[in-house]
Amino acid sequence: MVTLGTGVGGGIISEGKIVAGAFGASGEIGHMLVNKDETQLCGCGKKSHLEQYASATGIARKAKELLAESSEESSLRGVDQLDAKAVFDAAKEGDKLALEIVDFVGETLGTALASISCVFDPEVYVIGGGSLRLAKSCSTLCKSTSLTRPSTLLEVLNSPWLNWATMPVCTVPLRWFCNFECKKAPGF
């Protein structure tokens, strides 16, 4: 399970049980390293973390960086409160800079999920939270770069709790949840 909101979270459910890990931090994917060249600090005080790119906060930060670096025209330039929703809304309208941001973030998240797939060989990813619109973008890359199995076997599902970053799914076995509650992400 992947949750995308102001941060990036994850959970691992195996055989109907939550996998907590030796110190209770299993699934803490928001703090996996994704960019060794990052110079800005994550909210945790370290750097190079997935959360710095795939969270709502990270999307807004990337948008501000691209707007500062580029002179390209963009509807984002007129937005007072530049946040992830504004970026997604602009991308939906075809704004080139916003589309570049969504592609970058989706590629970063997709690469991270592909790396996770190589270690854990998941049957399915359930993606939820306010930044769920990245599901389609990251799923294609995740499927194309995962080496653990034929890519057609990996499912990426939208959580029925679309805008909840913390989902109540942990109380039920994942297979039951997916069979009865989730739908495949659009475009798959």
Side-chain angles (χ1 to χ4, degrees), residues 3-81:
T3 58
L4 304 172
T6 52
V8 175
I12 301 169
I13 301 173
S14 180
E15 297 180 19
K17 295 180 182 162
I18 297 169
V19 177
F23 303 101
S26 180
E28 187 60 62
I29 65 169
H31 296 284
M32 66 185 288
L33 303 178
V34 295
N35 178 4
K36 66 179 180 58
D37 298 323
E38 179 60 60
T39 58
Q40 292 189 32
L41 294 178
C42 177
C44 72
K46 296 185 179 177
K47 53 188 170 184
S48 305
H49 294 168
L50 177 61
E51 191 166 292
Q52 291 180 267
Y53 303 97
S55 67
T57 307
I59 293 166
R61 178 182 75 104
K62 184 67 178 171
K64 290 171 188 171
E65 286 175 2
L66 278 180
L67 286 168
E69 294 169 4
S70 170
S71 59
E72 187 171 334
E73 213 171 287
S74 172
S75 61
L76 295 174
R77 293 192 188 283
V79 176
D80 290 331
Q81 293 287 345

Side-chain angles (χ1 to χ4, degrees), residues 3 12 31 39 45 78 81 87 89 102 134 146 159 162 165 172 184-185:
T3 58
I12 301 169
H31 296 284
T39 58
Q81 293 287 345
V87 172
D89 288 347
V102 171
L134 291 170
S146 176
S159 166
L162 181 64
V172 296
K184 284 193 175 187

Side-chain angles (χ1 to χ4, degrees), residues 81-162:
Q81 293 287 345
L82 187 55
D83 58 12
K85 182 184 182 318
V87 172
F88 287 123
D89 288 347
K92 193 175 181 181
E93 296 299 319
D95 184 284
K96 190 176 175 185
L97 200 64
L99 288 168
E100 184 180 334
I101 295 162
V102 171
D103 286 348
F104 170 81
V105 174
E107 181 177 323
T108 303
L109 180 59
T111 300
L113 295 181
S115 294
I116 292 167
S117 294
C118 290
V119 175
F120 289 104
D121 191 27
E123 178 180 359
V124 63
Y125 283 109
V126 177
I127 301 179
S131 298
L132 183 61
R133 297 168 194 160
L134 291 170
K136 181 178 180 181
S137 182
C138 74
S139 176
T140 303
L141 186 72
C142 179
K143 287 182 174 188
S144 68
T145 58
S146 176
L147 304 174
T148 58
R149 73 180 83 73
S151 62
T152 56
L153 298 179
L154 179 63
E155 290 186 86
V156 177
L157 305 172
N158 288 344
S159 166
W161 296 285
L162 181 64

